[in-house]
């Protein structure tokens, strides 16, 4: 599998539904989930962990679907960023599918885009000025975000292939 997918959208726009769809698509692959809101408790065979244990174990996983639910939490802890970079760098060798869920596009650290294969963008509460400034060098992300914001469909998902 060896992919990194970023899902962005407000609460209630279908991020969890999209992540569930992706997890169903990987079939019997192990699922390793940080689930702060107990939204995935019905996923059969999934392993759930607390924050520190999750990162410590995620570094060693292979052939696993790893879901960073509420991914912003990980980047608010300064010592987590290096661990996540290591997981991203190794994804090709570990054959992991990495899924990061964010509530806002402005919360996505730019370095993840270097490793991400896709970003799925829905409606957010981001200010246009922040998004245009942060993603000035990646117009396809900015344009997808702008299209999602203009849509009347609350559940719109615009898929952007990155790498």
């Amino acid at each position: 599998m060896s992919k990194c997918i970023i899902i962005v959208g407000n609460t209630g726009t279908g991020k969890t539904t999209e992540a569930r769809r992706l997890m169903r698509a990987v079939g019997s692959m192990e699922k390793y989930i940080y689930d702060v809101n107990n939204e995935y408790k019905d996923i059969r065979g999934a392993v759930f962990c607390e924050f520190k244990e999750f990162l410590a174990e995620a570094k060693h996983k292979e052939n696993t679907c790893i879901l960073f639910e509420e991914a912003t939490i990980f980047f608010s802890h300064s010592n987590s960023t290096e661990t996540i970079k290591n997981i991203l760098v190794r994804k090709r060798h570990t054959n992991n599918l990495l899924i990061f869920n964010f509530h806002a596009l402005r919360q996505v650290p730019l370095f993840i885009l270097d490793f991400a294969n896709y970003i799925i963008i829905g409606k957010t509460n981001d200010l246009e000025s922040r998004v245009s400034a942060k993603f000035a060098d990646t117009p396809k992300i900015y344009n997808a975000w702008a299209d999602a914001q203009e849509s009347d469909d609350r559940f719109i998902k615009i898929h952007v292939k990155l790498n």
Side-chain angles (χ1 to χ4, degrees):
M1 180 63 56
S2 184
K3 299 237 182 292
C4 176
I5 301 171
I6 300 166
I7 304 172
V8 180
N10 277 345
T11 300
T13 58
K15 292 185 312 297
T16 299
T17 301
E18 188 69 17
R20 287 172 170 279
R21 185 187 67 75
L22 291 167
M23 285 189 280
R24 278 193 306 274
V26 299
S28 63
M29 180 183 254
E30 181 184 3
K31 290 143 184 93
Y32 190 66
I33 302 170
Y34 177 72
D35 183 12
V36 69
N37 296 317
N38 289 325
E39 294 176 293
Y40 300 90
K41 61 183 171 231
D42 62 325
I43 301 289
R44 287 201 273 24
V47 176
F48 301 93
C49 292
E50 295 300 319
F51 182 79
K52 288 182 181 181
E53 181 185 353
F54 179 86
L55 275 181
E57 291 294 319
K59 301 191 284 199
H60 305 292
K61 294 291 183 186
E62 292 185 9
N63 301 308
T64 303
C65 175
I66 303 173
L67 172 61
F68 295 81
E69 182 64 26
E70 303 289 345
T72 307
I73 294 169
F74 291 89
F75 298 101
S76 64
H77 294 81
S78 58
N79 57 347
S80 301
T81 300
E82 285 307 311
T83 301
I84 293 171
K85 282 182 182 177
N86 179 272
I87 292 168
L88 287 163
V89 166
R90 295 183 60 243
K91 81 174 166 64
R92 202 175 76 225
H93 302 292
T94 58
N95 196 37
N96 288 331
L97 169 62
L98 307 174
I99 304 171
F100 293 87
N101 275 355
F102 292 93
H103 280 102
L105 192 56
R106 71 180 178 278
Q107 297 170 336
V108 177
L110 290 176
F111 76 84
I112 290 183
L113 298 177
D114 293 336
F115 300 96
N117 302 91
Y118 299 93
I119 185 167
I120 302 169
I121 302 174
K123 288 194 170 286
T124 70
N125 285 330
D126 288 299
L127 295 174
E128 192 278 334
S129 58
R130 284 188 171 182
V131 173
S132 63
K134 185 169 184 176
F135 294 93
D137 293 337
T138 50
K140 64 183 175 180
I141 292 175
Y142 171 78
N143 292 337
W145 172 83
D147 290 346
Q149 304 326 295
E150 291 175 12
S151 173
D152 292 333
D153 181 359
R154 176 177 119 195
F155 300 107
I156 189 167
K157 297 284 175 285
I158 299 177
H159 296 241
V160 179
K161 185 170 180 1
L162 299 174
N163 296 321

